Amino acid sequence: VSPNLLAVHPSLGVENVRDLIALLKTKPGQYNYASGSSGSPTHLAAELFKNMAGVDLVRIPFKGTGPAINALLGGQVHVMLVSSSSVMPHVKSGRLRALAVSSAQPTALAPGLPTLTASGLPGFEAYSFFGVFAPGRTPPAIVARLNAEILRVLNRADSRERLFNSGLEYVGNAPPDFAVIIKSEMSKWSWLIKTAGIREE
């Protein structure tokens, strides 16, 4: 999994999530957020933030995460929810300010940062996850063998280190657990897409 960071341009002058929400509520529609294409992780995570925080942020879409981050760095946009690996170098250099992580628990990928849940948005969770899939009719014995072999490699210290250095946290669960995550994520984002009126561009 790859958690997102709630990052802002330092010129906003906020130090934490509560300050940001208070600022956005004083001037609805006057601040914006950067995202990739419609339905991208950066778009959906920001819309979830808007919904749960009850704020009016204007979306500024870009053709990809790179151009969106560049706009945030340049101060053309104010806020972005984006993968930690994409923005941590800019946070460390002081060019961006990270306010919170979007995972359910704090992460070593962004040490010291609180979660959005602990920052006043209980239940907020938005992350990218990666997994291995097989055709639907793959025999259970083959699925079990593949799962065991993949976990064997992922459990090696060098594998975990490579994942961590790429901005990823290792989960390594069983197929039924992964299926529960997929169903839960589909339900959550389907609801948000309908609620926010998100359409294909």
Side-chain angles (χ1 to χ4, degrees):
V1 297
S2 175
N4 293 318
L5 298 187
L6 175 59
V8 300
H9 191 268
S11 64
L12 229 52
V14 295
E15 300 291 335
N16 55 57
V17 175
R18 287 183 174 86
D19 287 349
L20 174 63
I21 292 173
L23 174 66
L24 298 177
K25 285 187 174 181
T26 61
K27 298 179 179 178
Q30 293 189 37
Y31 292 98
N32 54 44
Y33 75 88
S35 86
S37 59
S38 182
S40 65
T42 52
H43 182 199
L44 295 180
E47 286 296 325
L48 184 63
F49 173 76
K50 281 177 58 178
N51 181 281
M52 292 183 69
V55 295
D56 181 10
L57 269 172
V58 177
R59 178 182 174 228
I60 308 295
F62 293 86
K63 291 185 177 179
T65 301
I69 292 173
N70 286 337
L72 184 64
L73 286 166
Q76 287 88 37
V77 291
H78 305 111
V79 179
M80 190 172 183
L81 269 147
V82 63
S83 66
S84 58
S85 58
S86 299
V87 292
M88 274 308 288
H90 305 302
V91 171
K92 289 177 180 176
S93 71
R95 297 182 68 195
L96 294 177
R97 181 171 294 150
L99 304 183
V101 295
S102 67
S103 48
Q105 302 296 328
T107 172
L109 292 167
L113 276 185
T115 63
L116 277 154
T117 286
S119 301
L121 298 178
F124 190 102
E125 193 172 11
Y127 60 90
S128 297
F129 65 87
F130 303 86
V132 179
F133 295 82
R137 294 185 180 183
T138 303
I142 293 178
V143 171
R145 174 68 187 275
L146 285 169
N147 178 252
E149 291 299 317
I150 291 165
L151 292 183
R152 181 179 62 80
V153 173
L154 287 176
N155 274 310
R156 292 180 356 200
D158 63 325
S159 297
R160 290 190 178 209
E161 183 179 3
R162 288 181 70 178
L163 288 170
F164 187 85
N165 290 337
S166 299
L168 299 169
E169 290 184 307
Y170 163 73
V171 177
N173 49 21
D177 299 323
F178 189 30
V180 168
I181 290 171
I182 293 168
K183 288 176 183 175
S184 173
E185 289 290 291
M186 287 175 68
S187 175
K188 176 172 74 178
W189 298 118
S190 294
W191 170 84
L192 181 73
I193 287 166
K194 289 176 185 174
T195 301
I198 295 170
R199 300 179 183 276
E200 244 185 306
E201 293 170 348

